[in-house]
Each structure stands twice: as C-alpha cells, then as structure tokens.
Amino acid sequence: MRRGSGKFVAGFLALPVLVYLVFVIGPYLQAFYLALTDWRGVSGSPEFIGLGNFERLLGDATFWKAVSHHAILLVVLPLATLGIALFFAFLINAGARSGTRGVWGSRFYQAVFFFPQVLAVAAVGVLFQAVYRPDSGGILNGLLNAVGLDNVGWLTDPDLALWSIIAVLVWQAVGFYVVLFSAGMAAIPKEIHEAAALDGAGRGRMFFSVTLPLLWDSLQAAWVYLGIAAFDGFALVAVLSVNRGGPDGATTVLPLEIWRTAFSFSKFGYAAAMGVALFFLTLTFALLALRVTRRERIDLA
C-alpha cells in the first residue's frame, strides 16, 4: 500500500462506519441496557433491576412456547425448503434426457418459482387468508367439499395452525433457493456431468455424488439464512394467525411476543430481555450451523 493511501481509505470509510455504529451497534447496546431495567416506555429514568427480567423469562410459559415453535421451524423450514428447491433446481438444470443440460424453458420456470419473492409479506398473508378460510368459501375447503370431505380449520385448529403457516413460509422461500441452486448448478462445468454419465451414473447418483458436493457452499449459506428466517416469522404470523399468535398461542413466535409485550403491555424492559434472548439464540444457531456443516472446499479450477 502506497504511503498516504491508508489515510484516504480511513477517510472514505469514516462516514459509513459512523453510520453503522450509530444506527446498528447503538440500538443493540441500548437494547442490552433496557433488558436490565423495568422501563415501561414512558418518560422517566428506567430503574435498573439487573438480571431480573431474564430470571422471569426462565419461568415464562409463553416465552418457552414461542421457543418451542422456533425449534419446529428450525427443523422443518430449512429441510422442506432446501429439499424442494434442490429437487426443482436439479430437474430444471439436468432434466433433459442427457441429464447434463437444463430442460427447455428453464429460464421461464425459474421466473415462475421466483415470483412469490416479489410479493410483500402482507400480500402473501392476505392471499392465504382466502386459501385457508375455515368455511366452504376457502380455496382448500372448497376442494375438500368437492370430493365430499368436511371443512378443515387450517388456521383455527391448534394442531394445524402452525403447520399451515410453515407451509406458506416454505412456499414463499422455495423460489429464491431454486434460482440460487440453479445458478450454482449452471456454474458446474458440464464436462464433469458428462464424465459421470459416461461412467454409468444415473441421475440420482449424479445428484448425490457430483452436484450436491459441488453445491455445498451454497447449501451451507442457504441453511444459515433459513435458520435465521425461522427465528422471525413475525409479519406472516401477525397477518394469518387468529388473534395474532392464536388459537391459544398455537402459532406465537418470539418477535410477536416482543411486539405484544412492548406495545400492548408497555413492558419495554421485559420485551428488550426477550429481544436479547432472541439475539443470542439466533447467533448461537448461526455459529453452530457453520461449524457443523463445515467441510473441505472443492476447487473446480
């Protein structure tokens, strides 16, 4: 680095770093502080209570119920989304008879799969309210009635509500990962697939022995992203669920409980403690996922 260039780089980065510290790191530090107080969100100095809010969290049944829902999401959302996305991406990119090139119109299929990504979450929620309506006017129940079956309370049955929302989350996310994996598959030299085909590898063997190992970096990143998404779900749960998290807390998630605790019950200190717990849960998952899925990188050069 030439003399004087360090000062130029520092001057160039000073403003972005300052903005990041003020608008990202600052709110984090403020949340950590508020988690140690009993602040109710109105004027006045918060009273410092130490770890009192976190001790209360340990005995909060609603908090642990939300955590259990996140545990289900952490398992089901990545597995279902990545499994479906890999399946469709492989069909699109290796669906021809040779098994080494994509099917005709693959670009169009990618655009169709990606379409749910351009829809606002609120719009998706309203759309699936019509799909999941509990009476015969709902799309799913209308189909069930057509074959002589009774209506199902997709969002009103505590045993079905969470799974119905997970299905929507998967539907909305699959398209992005189809495009992501399609791009990764397109980057694999076709000579590798041709060599595998000459060696007698079928499509299944080619996928598990060739394509999947070469996509591992993309798969690892996708797993982390979906895991982080599994700790969210606020907007879709707020729009789709009965009474925001119902029935009887069957669909509640931590972001929704944080919002409810802060803005409905004016317990901002306790809500901040929930937020801090959510932060460390998400961070722990990301670190563990990167650690567990780490493997030696394959160089195509």
Side-chain angles (χ1 to χ4, degrees):
M1 183 178 291
R2 289 182 293 181
R3 182 177 297 178
S5 60
K7 293 182 180 179
F8 172 77
V9 172
F12 185 78
L13 293 178
L15 182 58
V17 170
L18 179 63
V19 171
Y20 183 82
L21 290 174
V22 172
F23 292 102
V24 178
I25 302 300
Y28 274 117
L29 295 177
Q30 186 178 23
F32 293 155
Y33 167 69
L34 290 177
L36 302 176
T37 71
D38 66 345
W39 191 50
R40 299 188 64 84
V42 293
S43 59
S45 300
E47 181 182 349
F48 184 82
I49 59 173
L51 298 177
N53 286 326
F54 295 99
E55 293 175 357
R56 181 180 173 188
L57 276 180
L58 295 176
D60 190 337
T62 302
F63 171 79
W64 289 110
K65 192 170 189 177
V67 170
S68 69
H69 294 159
H70 286 297
I72 295 172
L73 283 164
L74 270 176
V75 175
V76 178
L77 181 59
L79 285 177
T81 303
L82 297 182
I84 296 171
L86 282 169
F87 175 74
F88 284 126
F90 189 70
L91 286 183
I92 290 172
N93 289 274
R97 290 187 177 181
S98 65
T100 60
R101 59 187 175 86
V103 296
W104 183 87
S106 58
R107 298 287 185 184
F108 171 75
Y109 295 132
Q110 290 178 23
V112 170
F113 280 119
F114 191 78
F115 177 72
Q117 285 290 313
V118 304
L119 297 175
V121 177
V124 172
V126 172
L127 171 65
F128 276 89
Q129 280 180 344
V131 173
Y132 286 143
R133 274 183 57 176
D135 54 30
S136 57
I139 295 175
L140 285 179
N141 280 333
L143 294 175
L144 292 177
N145 292 164
V147 296
L149 298 177
D150 295 332
N151 292 332
V152 175
W154 302 102
L155 296 173
T156 57
D157 186 340
D159 296 327
L160 288 177
L162 182 63
W163 298 102
S164 299
I165 292 176
I166 290 175
V168 180
L169 289 170
V170 172
W171 176 84
Q172 188 180 28
V174 159
F176 175 82
Y177 295 99
V178 168
V179 175
L180 176 67
F181 295 145
S182 295
M185 292 177 187
I188 299 174
K190 69 177 183 178
E191 291 81 5
I192 296 178
H193 284 128
E194 290 173 349
L198 289 174
D199 288 339
R203 291 185 184 179
R205 181 64 181 273
M206 190 180 298
F207 174 77
F208 287 106
S209 299
V210 178
T211 304
L212 192 59
L214 294 176
L215 280 178
W216 191 259
D217 288 345
S218 297
L219 190 65
Q220 182 191 52
W223 190 279
V224 174
Y225 290 153
L226 283 168
I228 294 174
F231 282 107
D232 186 12
F234 168 80
L236 203 58
V237 172
V239 174
L240 275 180
S241 63
V242 178
N243 296 325
R244 291 178 177 169
D248 298 327
T251 59
T252 191
V253 289
L254 279 178
L256 186 62
E257 288 303 319
I258 293 170
W259 177 85
R260 195 201 316 273
T261 301
F263 297 102
S264 296
F265 305 128
S266 297
K267 298 178 180 178
F268 282 79
Y270 190 53
M274 286 187 180
V276 171
L278 178 60
F279 169 80
F280 282 108
L281 285 172
T282 307
L283 182 62
T284 301
F285 163 78
L287 293 175
L288 287 176
L290 290 173
R291 178 73 176 178
V292 170
T293 60
R294 186 175 62 183
R295 60 183 294 175
E296 187 175 344
R297 186 173 183 178
I298 300 175
D299 192 356
L300 295 176

